[in-house]
């Protein structure tokens, strides 16, 4: 099994994906153990002094003015975890919880949190055992980080609350820890706070969304190319010299992908046939510009994620010179903004894909295709309602594109008077990514049928390979009306699992 080593300088996106989605094992480097021990010495020294230090010998948030006596500090750390584990609603997905826990461990191992090495090791042990704390949908305002979700994880570390075992069954955390020989931790000064004070949930969801969207943007280039081909459009608008004079990198990459997919097509460039056209519609002609803008948004979001992966997000933090200083690095604004940007870009990509699908089904705009791509229009409805489903998905995505990060509700008696809502931005982006996959699957299904209905014309080798692979995946070809949902589900799985991109790249080589 792949092993991820956590040091003091952060982790990579591929590390997060390996732990969250592939159950990679975790090891803590000796460098990190030494940094943990050194920072803990600083915290212990401050704890022994009479002067109050936030997070070490004081209350939290609006209660930070109270100095906590030494005999109550263990209770203080235990209480902050219990009281902050106040989430409600449906359970959050296993991969999200694993990413959240791993990213918190990443910050702990930076040596800036003051957490003891044995606490970090217990976090790694829980992940390695396949134990997943029960975390709920609602509870995080994205500042001070993802408090409630992280508290539910810390509760498991203490042997309290509920968690899911490696068998998928939810049980008391104490039972699961005992079965795997993991001793619950008794938190000491600052440790409870350090386990809660991070943007780890929203960052984990950002990293997974980036991985999914990278594949979906390639898929969108393929489905756009298929629609262009099915509509007998021209590939001249994809010429590199046209995109060089508006040099957005994403636009150039999308145009290059579409051109590669359409290479040697016998179906493009029929503008001057029976129904002359000067230009294709925007949804066809401007596909690289729209998808390209989304790709550039992805690039910006990836840069933010990489900076966060190299960060230590906690409050207060332990500095190398021995100071323990309060700060605002737990604020989720940098992550929240890009999560919202991605939801906007995904909604627009879905919107233009739906417009191409509608054009394929409309006999007045499809340049010779049967109404709704039906076998016997009137008796058969063809793909009419598949487009309704696509429209419903796009409509929801437009609602999900409303930014969460533009909202803020003050909390903690106005001490935390501006919050990021980054967790909410991440949750809605996950739904948007799911919906985008379905929207592209419907465009793929419709465009493939339309290409097959163009008798006497030969598609490009790459689009032909995509259609053949789609049929092999269980999505049937043209014919009389049938129960359509299974076909659409097969197309969805084909796109979601990477089958579409793989089939095309087997002909074109790697897409950009």
């Amino acid at each position: 099994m792949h092993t991820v080593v956590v040091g003091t300088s952060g982790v990579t996106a591929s590390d997060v994906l390996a732990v969250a989605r592939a159950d990679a094992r975790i090891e803590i480097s000796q460098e990190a153990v030494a940094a943990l021990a050194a920072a803990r010495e600083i915290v212990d020294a401050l704890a022994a002094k009479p002067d109050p230090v936030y997070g070490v010998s004081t209350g939290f948030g609006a209660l930070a003015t109270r100095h906590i006596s030494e005999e109550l500090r263990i209770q203080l750390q235990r209480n902050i975890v219990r009281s902050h584990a106040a989430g409600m609603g449906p359970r959050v997905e296993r991969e999200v919880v694993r990413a959240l826990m791993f990213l918190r461990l990443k910050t702990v191992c930076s040596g800036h949190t003051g957490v003891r090495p044995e606490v970090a090791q217990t976090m790694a042990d829980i992940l390695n055992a396949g134990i997943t704390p029960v975390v709920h949908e609602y509870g995080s305002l994205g500042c001070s980080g993802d408090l409630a979700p992280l508290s539910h994880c810390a509760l498991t570390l203490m042997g309290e609350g509920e968690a899911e075992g490696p068998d998928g069954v939810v049980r008391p955390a104490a039972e699961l820890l005992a079965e795997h020989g993991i001793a619950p931790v008794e938190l000491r000064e600052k440790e409870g706070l350090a386990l809660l004070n991070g943007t780890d949930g929203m960052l984990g969801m950002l990293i997974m969304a980036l991985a999914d969207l990278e594949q979906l943007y390639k898929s969108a280039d393929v489905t756009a190319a298929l629609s262009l081909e099915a509509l007998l459009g021209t590939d001249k608008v994809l010429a590199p010299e046209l995109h060089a004079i508006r040099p957005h990198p994403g636009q150039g990459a999308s145009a290059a992908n579409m051109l590669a997919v359409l290479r040697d097509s016998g179906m493009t460039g029929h503008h001057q046939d029976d129904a002359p056209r000067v230009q294709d519609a925007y949804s066809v002609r401007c596909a690289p510009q729209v998808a390209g803008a989304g790709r550039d948004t992805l690039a910006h979001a990836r840069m933010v994620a990489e900076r966060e992966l190299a960060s230590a997000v906690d409050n207060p933090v332990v500095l190398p010179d021995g100071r323990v200083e309060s700060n605002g690095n737990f604020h989720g604004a940098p992550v929240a903004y890009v999560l919202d940007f991605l939801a906007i870009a995904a909604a627009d990509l879905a919107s233009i894909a739906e417009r191409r699908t509608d054009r394929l089904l409309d006999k007045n705009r499809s340049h010779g295709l049967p109404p709704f791509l039906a076998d016997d229009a009137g008796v058969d409805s063809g793909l009419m309602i598949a487009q309704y489903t696509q429209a419903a998905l796009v409509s929801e995505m437009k609602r999900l594109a409303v930014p969460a990060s533009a909202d803020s509700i003050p909390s903690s008696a106005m001490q935390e008077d501006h919050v990021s809502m980054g967790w909410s931005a991440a949750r809605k982006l996950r739904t948007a990514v799911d919906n985008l996959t379905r929207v592209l699957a419907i465009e793929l299904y419709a465009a493939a049928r339309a290409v097959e209905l163009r008798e006497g014309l030969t598609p490009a080798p790459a689009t032909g390979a995509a259609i053949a692979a789609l049929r092999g995946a269980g999505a049937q070809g043209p014919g009389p009306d049938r129960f359509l949902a299974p076909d659409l589900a097969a197309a969805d799985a084909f796109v979601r699992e990477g089958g579409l991109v793989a089939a095309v790249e087997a002909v074109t080589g790697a897409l950009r």
Side-chain angles (χ1 to χ4, degrees), residues 61-247:
L63 303 176
T65 55
R66 177 177 173 182
H67 182 258
I68 307 299
S69 61
E70 188 173 350
E71 63 271 16
L72 292 176
R73 290 176 190 169
I74 288 177
Q75 181 181 338
L76 170 69
Q77 300 301 319
R78 183 168 59 241
N79 285 353
I80 189 177
V81 173
R82 288 172 173 171
S83 66
H84 285 43
M88 293 185 73
R91 283 181 58 196
V92 171
E93 303 85 358
R94 181 178 186 269
E95 67 176 13
V96 172
V97 179
R98 286 184 62 82
L100 179 154
M101 288 186 69
F102 176 64
L103 287 167
R104 195 71 218 137
L105 176 61
K106 176 267 297 183
T107 281
V108 164
C109 288
S110 69
H112 289 292
T113 68
V115 168
R116 288 168 294 153
E118 52 264 44
V119 176
Q121 186 58 55
T122 303
M123 296 172 73
D125 291 343
I126 288 173
L127 284 164
N128 288 339
I131 297 171
T132 307
V134 171
V135 174
H136 299 279
E137 181 85 15
Y138 302 106
S140 173
L141 302 181
C143 188
S144 303
D146 295 317
L147 287 173
L150 282 163
S151 297
H152 282 275
C153 294
L155 202 64
T156 297
L157 207 64
M158 292 164 46
E160 300 182 18
E162 290 187 319
E164 178 187 300
D167 58 359
V169 177
V170 174
R171 295 166 53 198
E175 292 182 13
L176 289 166
L177 295 186
E179 282 184 8
H180 290 84
I182 301 171
V185 298
E186 183 177 73
L187 300 175
R188 289 171 46 182
E189 292 92 344
K190 194 182 180 301
E191 290 180 333
L193 186 62
L195 293 177
L196 316 185
N197 231 333
T199 52
D200 308 291
M202 63 182 89
L203 176 58
M205 286 186 274
L206 172 61
I207 289 164
M208 288 184 282
L210 287 169
D212 295 339
L213 286 168
E214 183 174 357
Q215 177 168 276
L216 286 174
Y217 271 87
K218 291 179 183 178
S219 299
D221 292 338
V222 175
T223 61
L226 262 167
S227 290
L228 184 152
E229 196 171 43
L231 291 166
L232 306 181
T234 179
D235 58 0
K236 290 182 178 180
V237 296
L238 305 174
E241 56 270 25
L242 293 176
H243 297 277
I245 61 176
R246 196 188 191 192

Side-chain angles (χ1 to χ4, degrees), residues 93 137-138 205 209 336-347 396-407 420-436:
E93 303 85 358
E137 181 85 15
Y138 302 106
M205 286 186 274
Y337 291 168
V338 294
L339 288 163
D340 279 334
F341 296 165
L342 291 175
I344 292 168
E396 182 179 40
M397 290 182 70
K398 290 176 180 178
R399 295 191 295 275
L400 293 169
V402 175
S405 58
D407 187 28
S420 78
M421 294 299 184
W423 173 273
S424 299
R427 296 306 296 166
K428 68 185 182 67
L429 178 59
R430 282 180 70 83
T431 303
V433 170
D434 275 347
N435 284 358
L436 176 59

Side-chain angles (χ1 to χ4, degrees), residues 54-55 314-317 324-330:
Y54 177 69
D314 193 15
N315 177 50
V317 291
V324 175
E325 295 285 2
S326 293
N327 65 87
N329 285 341
F330 51 75

Side-chain angles (χ1 to χ4, degrees), residues 4 67 110 121 148 215 250 257 260 280 283 287 289 291 307 310 368 379 382 385 389 401 465 484-485 502 509-510:
V4 172
H67 182 258
S110 69
Q121 186 58 55
Q215 177 168 276
N257 283 348
D280 291 318
S283 61
Q289 285 76 9
R307 289 172 178 170
V379 175
I385 307 305
T389 299
L484 199 56

Side-chain angles (χ1 to χ4, degrees), residues 203 206 210 296-311 334 338:
L203 176 58
L206 172 61
L210 287 169
D296 290 342
T297 303
L298 274 180
H300 172 64
R302 193 174 295 111
M303 177 188 69
V304 171
E306 288 169 356
R307 289 172 178 170
E308 287 287 303
L309 286 169
S311 300
V338 294

